[in-house]
């Protein structure tokens, strides 16, 4: 039976990079028997312009029925004055909420030809390949009570509350252990159990789950402040890092800079199994709609293409196709192709289209 894929290109450079991912899907259909039913729809500013909402209920329903969603990016300065609940970015927030996407996966991989693009010394980052699994629907961003109140003495108090329950911790830790089984078999769980009860519970629940179901995976624990330091000092020590919403937000942004460019980084957000063995899943580059370069044909399509590779690996179990795409990307970079964001001074630059088509051609050569 054909897999159902929903493509949501969105705004700015989203549609430009999505075209390149689509040509890889077409190649896989023609040459590797990939059986997919494709659907495409509008989100973000593109949807506002036609339907007056950033995302329609109908699109949410299609996303729920799909085996996976490949998302571009949303955000368009044209809509900056609309009310907060109608902004283009609401599209991705609603998808995450309505599909119950609670685990964000960010692989941080440094392709050898881009060693010089990293902010760190080559000997520290060469061969870097780690994954951060961040809890995304709980923790301090959502906990109650929250708010700002004025105290009797006229001073004000701001409150946010870090809350995690056993099932919330367990389900994201499960994702991390499963990921580790597909990688190097090591999970580092990160919290602040020295000063936070929620961190203490986090550590206990992860340890307990590990003892029950994942003894084949190596588990270690680290305090979040130490983890930030270790990511800069010796990032290659990590395989999979699992952490809560706030620490994950900060650590994953820090880690993304180890590789140099936003245009290279894919991500996945996974939800629960819907009971029929199908897990809600959305794949997207970590970058936004980049309005400063939209329409110029110079965006780097590799983050979108690598998001497609993740989709094939984790939602369609097409490991061979995912490996082929990642290998083709490495080879194209080794051949010296660079879009503007990853070019160093004096290097020749290629367009979005040239980079995307070079990956397709390389896949043909490697297959
Ligand atoms: P951005 O990621 O769009 O751009 C930051 C910088 O990186 C820009 O200079 C941009 O040109 C560059 N860049 C980003 N992707 C690139 C690529 N593939 N190739 C080459 N250069 C690239 O972040 P921003 O400027 O803060 O946000 C722009 C809009 O995107 C905003 O409306 C924001 O809300 C939205 N946004 C959406 C998502 C999403 O859809 N998930 C994520 C982040 C930001």
């Amino acid at each position: 039976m054909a897999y159902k894929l929903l493509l949501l290109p969105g705004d700015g450079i989203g549609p430009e990079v999505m075209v390149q991912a689509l040509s890889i899907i077409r190649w896989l259909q023609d040459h590797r028997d990939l059986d997919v039913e494709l659907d495409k729809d509008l989100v973000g500013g593109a949807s506002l312009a036609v339907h007056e909402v950033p995302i329609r209920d109908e699109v949410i329903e299609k996303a729920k029925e799909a085996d996976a969603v490949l998302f571009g990016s949303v955000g368009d300065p044209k809509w900056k004055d609309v009310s907060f609940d109608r902004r283009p970015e609401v599209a991705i927030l609603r998808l995450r909420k309505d599909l119950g996407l609670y685990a964000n996966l960010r692989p941080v991989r440094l392709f050898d030809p881009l060693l010089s693009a990293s902010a760190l010394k080559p000997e520290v980052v060469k061969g870097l390949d780690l994954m951060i699994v961040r809890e995304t629907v709980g923790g301090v961003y959502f906990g109650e009570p929250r708010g700002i109140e004025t105290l009797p003495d006229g001073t004000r108090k701001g409150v946010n509350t870090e809350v995690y329950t056993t099932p919330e911790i367990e389900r994201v830790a499960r994702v991390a252990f499963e990921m580790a089984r597909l990688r190097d078999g090591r999970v580092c769980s990160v919290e602040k159990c020295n000063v936070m009860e929620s961190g203490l519970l986090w550590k206990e629940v992860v340890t307990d789950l590990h003892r029950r179901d994942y003894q084949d995976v190596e588990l270690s624990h680290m305090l979040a402040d130490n983890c930030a330091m270790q990511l800069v000092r010796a990032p290659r020590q990590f395989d999979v890092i699992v952490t809560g919403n706030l620490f994950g937000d900060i650590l994953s942004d820090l880690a993304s800079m180890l590789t140099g460019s936003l245009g290279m980084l894919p991500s996945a957000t996974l939800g629960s199994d819907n009971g029929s063995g199908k897990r809600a899943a959305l794949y997207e580059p970590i970058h936004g709609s980049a309005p400063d370069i939209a329409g110029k044909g110079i965006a780097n399509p590799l983050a979108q293409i690598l998001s497609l590779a993740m989709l094939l690996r984790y939602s369609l179990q097409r490991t061979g196709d995912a490996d082929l795409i990642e290998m083709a990307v490495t080879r194209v970079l080794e051949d010296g192709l660079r879009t503007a964001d990853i070019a160093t001074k004096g290097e020749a630059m290629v367009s979005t289209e040239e980079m995307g088509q070079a990956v397709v051609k390389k896949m043909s050569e490697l297959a």
Side-chain angles (χ1 to χ4, degrees), residues 13 71 73-75 89 262-263 284 286-293 299-300 341:
I13 63 169
F71 192 89
S73 50
V74 283
E89 289 83 351
L262 278 179
E284 58 175 331
I286 72 160
H287 62 71
S289 56
D292 54 334
I293 58 165
N300 185 346
D341 57 314

Side-chain angles (χ1 to χ4, degrees), residues 4 11 40 43 60 91 98 167 171 173 218 257 259 292 299 301 330:
K4 282 189 190 170
D11 304 319
K40 194 171 153 189
V43 281
I60 297 281
D98 291 6
R171 65 183 183 178
E218 188 186 312
M257 268 299 100
T259 70
D292 54 334
T330 308

